[in-house]
Amino acid sequence: MTLKKNDFDIYSLIKKELRRQRNGLELIASENFASADVMAAQGSVLTNKYAEGYPGRRYYGGCEYVDGVEDIARERVKKLFGAEHANVQPHSGTQANMAVYFAVLNPGDTIMGMHLAHGGHLSHGHPASFSGKYFKVIPVNLRKKDMLLDYNEIKTLARKHRPKLIVAGSSSYSRVIDWRRICSVAKSIGAYFMADIAHYAGLVAAGIYPSPVPYADFVTFTTHKTMRGPRGGVILCKNKFAKDIDRTIFPGTQGGPLMHVIAAKAVAFKEASTAGFRKYQSQVLANARVLAASLESRGLKIVSGGTDSHMFMVDVTPVGLTGKDAQAILESAGITVNKNSIPYDKQSPAVGSGIRIGTPAVTTRGMKEREMEIIGDAISSLLQKHALAAAPKNMATARAQKIVRTLASKFPLYPNLKS
Ligand SMILES: *Cc1c(COP(=O)(O)O)cnc(C)c1O
């Protein structure tokens, strides 16, 4: 590798990031560790190739091999999810969502989706996002008494506001989303239904979270979260929308596809079709349930009462902290999470009353239920000690740091990469 010699600034930051990933405990719900094969495909010569268009219909010569790559990626992902059509070119989940909106909506049309503080994504109509600027948005909130989706409320709102498209999907809702019920609401008002499974895709592929594919007109997802592939997006749809979706990705909203990333997506889809991946995803779920129960038994509150997925939100107000403080306290011990607004939050989004926790990354490292108990104990005692003015905080931090060091060395990450 000549990078070290030719560009030491970047080389050394990459090495530091590798060390950070190895030495820490990654509990950010949207992160994971891609395989060496995925990274090899992504770091390949395919990065050099322009391939505007689609296999067999490109605007550049020399596409015979990248055509093969994109064909394989499309076929694999269609088979994995039982979908009629797939577009594997979106550069990200947001790009995938944008293409669906632009394929079937006009500026000023109404969409309905979960509010950001109630689990929705920026691209579901937040005012700071293109989705909130171009479209009129009807936000859906979780039900206050149990923090669950209220399907009757969704039906009432939909009948009243008649959105042209209903988005369902979430970045922090831990429970099962009833795709069939949302589909029937959409059908009853003649709306399109888009399911955004950016977070749940890996669990869906493994058959342990319900699939929206039979119900939704469009299914979008990211390939880098539970799917454990390269950073990127995918759109699945019924055949009748195939032309519109493909045209809206290219030339509508993107230029040349990232063929190296598409190759890495194909590798990830093959990995996701194995028994090992299904076993991995059921361990992700088992770990999330054990970790949530462990935190709850030690005085923290789990939003929506538990989890059916790889993640959950912790309301940290019972121990007298904000989400921002909790994130910083855990960070000081090498535990990475992200602060999050919880539904009906009294804090600003920059502070928040919750943290979001996910198990995909630690499960990729091989951790199981036993380790989740240890982590749950470390997190809750850290947060509790730091919330008390008189408690010995440094001792709690030192203890958690030791737990993190022990787990990190017992479950090595990328053992074949040089540090
Ligand atoms: C992560 C996420 C996205 C978008 O992901 P990017 O690739 O970061 O654009 C879209 N929708 C949901 C629900 C997400 O959680």
Side-chain angles (χ1 to χ4, degrees):
M1 196 150 116
T2 55
L3 185 64
K4 185 177 183 180
K5 191 162 95 337
N6 296 334
D7 193 341
F8 190 75
D9 296 338
I10 293 300
Y11 171 86
S12 61
L13 286 169
I14 293 173
K15 289 301 167 192
K16 281 179 182 160
E17 173 62 15
L18 172 61
R19 247 169 278 148
R20 189 193 68 81
Q21 291 184 13
R22 273 184 177 156
N23 298 340
L25 211 53
E26 185 53 75
L27 292 174
I28 292 179
S30 49
E31 293 191 8
N32 211 331
F33 302 116
S35 70
D37 292 347
V38 164
M39 293 196 292
Q42 192 168 4
S44 71
V45 294
L46 299 192
T47 193
N48 300 326
K49 191 71 199 93
Y50 243 117
E52 283 178 352
Y54 290 95
R57 309 177 269 132
R58 304 283 192 187
Y59 291 85
Y60 287 84
C63 286
E64 56 269 41
Y65 304 116
V66 293
D67 273 8
V69 166
E70 187 164 349
D71 274 332
I72 289 173
R74 292 198 293 197
E75 289 311 310
R76 282 181 184 168
V77 75
K78 278 186 342 193
K79 185 148 175 249
L80 192 59
F81 288 91
E84 288 180 14
H85 180 73
N87 188 306
V88 296
Q89 294 191 3
H91 301 330
S92 72
T94 298
Q95 295 286 106
N97 289 349
M98 179 189 260
V100 171
Y101 300 159
F102 286 177
V104 295
L105 304 173
N106 292 309
D109 282 348
T110 301
I111 64 172
M112 195 169 113
M114 291 168 77
H115 188 280
L116 186 71
H118 294 247
H121 187 256
L122 285 165
S123 62
H124 297 177
H126 191 273
S129 147
F130 78 93
S131 56
K133 294 186 203 289
Y134 284 93
F135 306 108
K136 201 171 146 236
V137 181
I138 308 301
V140 173
N141 291 346
L142 298 182
R143 185 165 56 202
K144 204 163 186 178
K145 69 167 188 232
D146 51 12
M147 302 290 188
L148 296 178
L149 277 171
D150 181 342
Y151 297 94
N152 289 325
E153 171 76 5
I154 291 173
K155 196 198 300 180
T156 308
L157 279 174
R159 297 238 157 117
K160 182 165 168 213
H161 298 283
R162 305 232 143 226
K164 199 164 164 189
L165 177 115
I166 297 179
V167 185
S170 172
S171 308
S172 59
Y173 189 61
S174 57
R175 294 302 197 175
V176 159
I177 297 175
D178 191 335
W179 309 116
R180 194 185 53 80
R181 280 185 84 172
I182 297 176
C183 168
S184 82
V185 171
K187 280 227 171 87
S188 76
I189 57 160
Y192 296 108
F193 172 27
M194 180 184 106
D196 176 349
I197 55 168
H199 263 269
Y200 315 112
L203 301 163
V204 170
I208 63 169
Y209 190 94
S211 172
V213 171
Y215 304 109
D217 298 305
F218 310 96
V219 175
T220 59
F221 63 92
T222 54
T223 46
H224 49 274
K225 297 178 182 173
T226 52
M227 275 300 288
R228 207 163 62 180
R231 309 199 75 74
V234 169
I235 304 171
L236 306 174
C237 65
K238 305 276 187 248
N239 271 331
K240 64 176 172 184
F241 299 114
K243 271 211 176 99
D244 283 339
I245 286 296
D246 287 353
R247 263 201 298 262
T248 310
I249 284 290
F250 176 83
T253 55
Q254 292 189 171
L258 312 174
M259 293 315 304
H260 56 307
V261 177
I262 291 173
K265 286 174 181 171
V267 172
F269 299 149
K270 184 171 182 185
E271 290 176 357
S273 66
T274 60
F277 189 80
R278 287 190 288 279
K279 206 167 145 216
Y280 160 69
Q281 295 292 352
S282 38
Q283 189 67 54
V284 166
L285 172 63
N287 283 355
R289 286 192 165 144
V290 169
L291 186 50
S294 147
L295 294 173
E296 189 152 50
S297 73
R298 292 170 171 93
L300 290 154
K301 196 163 143 204
I302 309 301
V303 176
S304 310
T307 183
D308 306 317
S309 67
H310 60 296
M311 64 163 161
F312 53 89
M313 293 260 288
V314 184
D315 178 351
V316 294
T317 54
V319 295
L321 291 172
T322 65
K324 186 176 177 217
D325 289 339
Q327 177 187 317
I329 292 164
L330 296 174
E331 183 95 60
S332 72
I335 301 172
T336 320
V337 301
N338 63 288
K339 64 170 187 258
N340 223 305
S341 292
I342 59 174
Y344 309 101
D345 208 320
K346 293 189 184 72
Q347 303 282 356
S348 74
V351 177
S353 295
I355 51 173
R356 187 183 61 164
I357 290 186
T359 54
V362 288
T363 309
T364 293
R365 291 184 79 150
M367 297 182 208
K368 296 206 164 75
E369 288 88 341
R370 219 169 72 88
E371 286 73 35
M372 297 306 117
E373 290 283 359
I374 296 170
I375 295 169
D377 175 46
I379 291 176
S380 52
S381 62
L382 248 183
L383 295 183
Q384 268 149 356
K385 293 269 158 48
H386 277 262
L388 298 172
K393 294 175 192 166
N394 295 342
M395 263 168 65
T397 305
R399 180 172 166 268
Q401 282 169 338
K402 189 162 170 237
I403 290 172
V404 170
R405 269 200 307 275
T406 308
L407 289 175
S409 64
K410 198 166 159 202
F411 297 91
L413 179 67
Y414 299 127
N416 298 326
L417 280 183
K418 271 204 301 223
S419 63

